[in-house]
Amino acid sequence: MSLSPPSTSAQAARKALADRLKGIRKDAGINGRELSVRCGWHPSKTSRIQDGQAAPSEADIRAWCAACGATDQVDDLISASRAVESMYVEWRRLRTAGLRNLQHSYAKLYEETRAFRFYTSDVIPGVLQTAPYATAIMSRFADASRTPDDMERAIATKMERAQVIHTGDHRFAFVVEESVLRYRLGDTEAMAGQLGHLLAVISLPRVSLGIIPFTAERSMWPVESFRVYDDRRVQVELVTAAVNVTTPSEVHEYVRTFTDLQAHAVYGREARALITAAIEALG
């Protein structure tokens, strides 16, 4: 089994919107140049929109439909456009508001979700991170962008959100690659504290933590890190953006992939042994 690239959903949705606009133009019996004249913009803009290379603004959609005598479709198209925009959210846009606001943006989703599935092949899952480990990771974001300097408040917000594993009726299933335990994303003290924290949370009643050993004989290879919320939404974090997957068939594919990965993981005493070995390797 293989997953499509995580940005595919957003690209496909944008292309579907572009095809709908192109179809409206054709139904109106006008070519791209005539539509451009009616809308008052350059023909290249029409080409970029209907080829899916540029996202139309809501004003663009209204102008397009008015030019084609299809104003009855405006509301539906704007709704589709907003859905596309929410699927692919640039980190740069979120970071400009500050790291704390970026962390706070997850609050409502975490409150509403009952069943969480986290698979990571790169870092310790966010809700299992300690403050020093999270600081080491978030410092990279602050250094690489023009993010407002609000690191302390961002970490505090992140730690507050992490309390979700202790409250309410939420259930958590984590699967991480053993390599995640070995990546040194903080200094020795931060890594030792983080790994020690994993030993503590592994016994929580609503938490299942599985680790896929280096030595596991696999039928499912490591894939991009992803999170599943109540079988209704998947979020994949890329270098430049967060991709939100909500199409039921694609969400199902991620759920099935998570189940396949779980089958390769070890739990309980075997998982603790892998964490302990990673701690000892710190020297």
Side-chain angles (χ1 to χ4, degrees):
M1 158 184 244
S2 64
L3 286 172
S4 301
S7 58
T8 297
S9 296
Q11 293 168 346
R14 174 176 286 183
K15 183 63 167 59
L17 176 61
D19 288 344
R20 288 181 65 182
L21 290 169
K22 187 175 183 178
I24 289 172
R25 176 186 61 75
K26 288 184 174 181
D27 290 343
I30 60 176
N31 59 31
R33 183 170 296 277
E34 177 59 26
L35 182 137
S36 302
V37 170
R38 295 184 184 186
C39 291
W41 60 51
H42 196 278
S44 63
K45 177 174 179 177
T46 296
S47 297
R48 290 196 304 272
I49 290 175
Q50 66 182 13
D51 290 344
Q53 297 175 357
S57 67
E58 294 184 12
D60 292 338
I61 291 173
R62 290 190 177 93
W64 190 294
C65 289
C68 298
T71 55
D72 60 315
Q73 299 193 49
V74 167
D75 290 344
D76 188 43
L77 288 166
I78 287 178
S79 177
S81 176
R82 289 175 179 174
V84 172
E85 185 177 358
S86 69
M87 290 178 71
Y88 198 93
V89 183
E90 291 182 87
W91 290 127
R92 182 171 53 187
R93 270 194 298 167
L94 293 175
R95 290 177 194 159
T96 54
L99 291 172
R100 181 179 181 277
N101 286 332
L102 175 57
Q103 292 302 318
H104 188 68
S105 67
Y106 292 105
K108 189 173 186 294
L109 178 61
Y110 274 63
E111 290 173 1
E112 294 177 346
T113 301
R114 289 295 168 265
F116 296 80
R117 295 181 181 91
F118 291 72
Y119 165 75
T120 61
S121 55
D122 45 16
V123 300
I124 302 295
V127 294
L128 298 183
Q129 292 176 7
T130 62
Y133 183 88
T135 299
I137 293 174
M138 291 174 67
S139 294
R140 189 266 176 189
F141 288 112
D143 293 341
S145 64
R146 296 178 179 178
T147 304
D149 185 12
D150 59 350
M151 180 67 70
E152 290 187 8
R153 292 193 303 161
I155 294 298
T157 299
K158 187 179 184 72
M159 294 301 101
E160 182 180 345
R161 191 178 77 237
Q163 292 304 306
V164 70
I165 66 172
H166 300 287
T167 61
D169 58 351
H170 309 284
R171 290 175 290 109
F172 293 85
F174 300 94
V175 174
V176 304
E177 300 287 343
E178 184 180 356
S179 55
V180 170
L181 309 179
R182 303 284 182 150
Y183 292 145
R184 300 218 179 175
L185 301 180
D187 60 24
T188 300
E189 184 178 355
M191 289 303 303
Q194 175 62 72
L195 294 171
H197 181 61
L198 290 185
L199 289 174
V201 300
I202 202 170
S203 60
L204 293 175
R206 291 190 297 275
V207 173
S208 168
L209 175 59
I211 301 171
I212 302 179
F214 288 129
T215 55
E217 186 174 334
R218 309 176 67 129
S219 60
M220 186 70 222
W221 53 91
V223 296
E224 70 274 5
S225 297
F226 63 88
R227 302 188 292 268
V228 184
Y229 303 95
D230 281 339
D231 291 359
R232 58 186 171 82
R233 175 176 174 180
V234 175
Q235 188 169 72
V236 185
E237 294 186 358
L238 307 180
V239 173
T240 58
V243 176
N244 294 292
V245 178
T246 56
T247 304
S249 61
E250 292 187 84
V251 171
H252 177 69
E253 190 173 352
Y254 273 99
V255 170
R256 188 165 57 176
T257 297
F258 185 85
T259 300
D260 290 344
L261 290 163
Q262 276 186 308
H264 296 83
V266 297
Y267 295 83
R269 182 164 56 185
E270 291 178 272
R272 289 189 181 90
L274 292 177
I275 296 171
T276 300
I279 293 174
E280 292 172 350
L282 292 172

